[in-house]
Amino acid sequence: AGRVRLNGRVASAGDRLQAGDVVTLDGVRVDWAQLNGASGAAGGERVRFSYLKMWKRRGVVCTTDRRVRGNILDELGEVEGVGERLFPIGRLDKDSSGLILLTSDGGLTNTLLRAGERKRKEYIVTTHVPATDADIARLAAGVVITTLAQSDGRAKPLTARTRPCVVERDASPAQPARLRFVLEEGRNRQIRRMCAACGLDVIKLHRVGFAGITLANCGRPGAWAFLTDAELDVIMPGGAAAASGQQQQQQEQASDAPRRKRSEVQRDLFPPDTGVVGGFPR
């Protein structure tokens, strides 16, 4: 009991799936759309996905649970022309700001977050005092930190050295304690813990890049934009042509057309005669 979770809660018999739902088995994410052939809607129509980016404000929580105050879906608001559920790719902690991607494409999420992909993430970080040259060299070479990691469906402490990364000054007379980080790993609150290991307190953390995507066209906190064809090609090479038609249609609907009726792609989570989810036993 409790091995299967749907959007973070224990799944129940009779639950149904729709595009964007996150299913895990023993803490491991299951690509249920592919396993169950759920990439098609009624009548075999292909499910089209949405791809957005957003400037997350500090204080917004990267969760799709609308019971949580300040959740990212309430911050985003209704997106005209998008009927499927959106969810963030990865997360930024509540105290951080900057770039976050949102999509209804679970396959893309798995690709971008897969450990072996080593997608570049760029941050501008302000500490309580300027880092010394020795601090910067130590941060770039890697420091030993303890973070929580998922193992066998449970969060367990992991103590290990961080991978070498780019750390350089991004200071100005008005911002003397500002640094630029470029990482290819994403451990929990990694930059804050790295700085703490050097005696530095992070007072501001702002993400400006992820997997080749920047905050271009998101000019202020809370702003969002559909990914362009060029950006889609960066994160899913060859996939922009298939996705851009829907993106263009969504942009047109968002600008001057009435909100279309939401359409949901539903699947039985627990077929009563098989007792399995996506080919996995309960």
Side-chain angles (χ1 to χ4, degrees):
R3 296 177 62 198
V4 178
R5 290 180 173 267
L6 171 61
N7 298 326
R9 64 171 177 79
V10 176
S12 303
D15 281 346
R16 301 177 72 83
L17 296 177
Q18 64 181 26
D21 282 339
V22 177
V23 177
T24 58
L25 173 69
D26 294 335
V28 179
R29 187 163 182 156
V30 176
D31 189 355
W32 63 267
Q34 179 178 354
L35 292 169
N36 287 294
S39 58
E45 180 185 355
R46 181 182 175 186
V47 177
R48 294 179 175 179
F49 297 115
S50 301
Y51 307 90
L52 291 75
K53 61 181 178 180
M54 181 182 187
W55 181 332
K56 186 187 91 68
R57 293 185 301 107
R58 185 175 183 179
V60 172
V61 183
C62 286
T63 179
T64 58
D65 186 347
R66 305 195 88 143
R67 296 170 297 180
V68 176
R69 184 175 181 180
N71 69 81
I72 196 165
L73 293 185
D74 286 346
E75 173 75 2
L76 178 66
E78 294 292 329
V79 179
E80 298 287 351
V82 175
E84 65 271 24
R85 178 181 297 175
L86 297 169
F87 50 90
I89 298 178
R91 65 186 302 276
L92 281 173
D93 63 51
K94 183 177 180 180
D95 293 329
S96 300
S97 64
L99 177 66
I100 189 79
L101 303 184
L102 297 105
T103 185
S104 56
D105 184 351
L108 176 62
T109 301
N110 293 337
T111 297
L112 291 179
L113 297 184
R114 191 177 298 126
E117 292 294 316
R118 296 196 179 187
K119 296 297 184 183
R120 289 167 62 93
K121 296 173 281 289
E122 182 177 349
Y123 303 83
I124 302 300
V125 178
T126 303
T127 54
H128 76 298
V129 295
T132 65
D133 290 344
D135 291 332
I136 292 174
R138 184 182 172 197
L139 290 166
V143 295
V144 176
I145 61 173
T146 299
T147 56
L148 291 177
Q150 290 290 328
S151 178
D152 299 325
R154 292 180 294 175
K156 298 180 180 179
L158 170 66
T159 300
R161 184 175 298 277
T162 58
R163 293 175 184 161
C165 63
V166 174
V167 183
E168 58 189 21
R169 295 191 190 279
D170 189 54
S172 67
Q175 300 281 349
R178 196 164 63 184
L179 299 170
R180 173 178 174 264
F181 281 72
V182 181
L183 308 180
E184 291 187 343
E185 62 179 335
R187 295 167 62 182
N188 181 253
R189 298 177 69 85
Q190 179 171 337
I191 291 177
R192 295 179 187 277
R193 297 179 194 275
M194 289 173 66
C195 289
C198 294
L200 299 169
D201 294 331
V202 172
I203 60 175
K204 185 177 181 180
L205 192 153
H206 183 66
R207 183 157 70 185
V208 296
F210 173 65
I213 307 300
T214 70
L215 281 168
N217 300 324
C218 295
R220 56 179 175 77
W224 65 269
F226 286 109
L227 296 189
T228 64
D229 285 358
E231 290 172 326
L232 287 168
D233 276 333
V234 168
I235 60 173
M236 46 187 295
S244 61
Q246 183 201 16
Q247 297 272 94
Q248 181 179 359
Q249 180 185 40
Q250 289 167 337
Q251 289 168 340
E252 291 171 352
Q253 290 175 324
S255 62
D256 58 13
R259 182 163 62 245
R260 68 180 181 180
K261 182 178 180 180
R262 289 175 176 259
S263 61
E264 295 184 344
V265 181
Q266 296 186 328
R267 286 285 186 271
D268 286 322
L269 178 60
F270 298 117
D273 56 334
T274 61
V276 300
V277 179
F280 291 93
R282 274 190 278 173

